[in-house]
């Protein structure tokens, strides 16, 4: 728990307090903006995650059909691995995004 200066009377108060214990000034605005920033950061992180998963998914398809012939052996394993990892990763990320958007900022 950190101490901050009250914006109105400048006395030292807890950063967790919703209002100053001396002058009763509301100081929730700072916490609010921090919450909004972390919410946006998380959204960006999830978007990057879904983009990565989608790239992996496409890479799997490309590896599979590379050269016009169905993949065999190691190439098939790599293709299926990337394909399913990307697919599952993308689904999980989409669910996370939906849950995240439902959360109140
Ligand atoms: Zn104050």
């Amino acid at each position: 728990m950190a101490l901050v200066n009250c914006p109105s009377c400048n006395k030292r108060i807890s950063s967790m307090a919703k209002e100053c214990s001396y002058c009763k000034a509301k100081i929730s605005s700072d916490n609010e903006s921090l919450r909004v920033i972390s919410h946006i950061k998380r959204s960006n992180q999830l978007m990057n995650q879904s983009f990565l998963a989608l790239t992996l998914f496409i890479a799997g398809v490309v590896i599979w059909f590379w050269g016009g012939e169905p993949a065999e052996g190691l190439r098939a394993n790599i293709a299926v691995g990337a394909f399913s990892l990307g697919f599952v990763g993308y689904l999980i990320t989409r669910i996370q995004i939906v849950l995240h958007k439902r959360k109140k900022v």
Side-chain angles (χ1 to χ4, degrees):
M1 193 155 72
L3 286 175
V4 293
N5 286 332
C6 169
S8 100
C9 69
N10 229 20
K11 287 198 169 84
R12 301 286 277 169
I13 49 166
S14 160
S15 61
M16 303 295 281
K18 283 195 171 68
E19 57 175 35
C20 173
S21 45
Y22 301 98
C23 68
K24 303 291 174 202
K26 292 257 185 285
I27 52 155
S28 58
S29 56
D30 268 1
N31 288 338
E32 202 110 312
S33 57
L34 271 177
R35 272 219 319 272
V36 171
I37 288 168
S38 78
H39 190 86
I40 293 168
K41 268 188 184 166
R42 179 79 179 130
S43 298
N44 287 339
Q45 195 188 341
L46 285 170
M47 288 312 287
N48 287 338
Q49 205 177 306
S50 74
F51 180 74
L52 264 174
L54 205 63
T55 306
L56 203 62
F57 177 80
I58 293 167
V61 176
V62 168
I63 292 167
W64 182 266
F65 290 109
W66 197 264
E69 288 170 21
E72 278 174 24
L74 182 64
R75 192 159 70 97
N77 288 336
I78 293 170
V80 170
F83 182 84
S84 25
L85 208 69
F87 186 71
V88 172
Y90 186 73
L91 278 185
I92 290 171
T93 309
R94 291 311 302 184
I95 293 167
Q96 282 180 309
I97 288 172
V98 169
L99 291 178
H100 183 67
K101 274 182 181 163
R102 266 195 209 156
K103 232 189 279 174
K104 273 190 185 160
V105 180

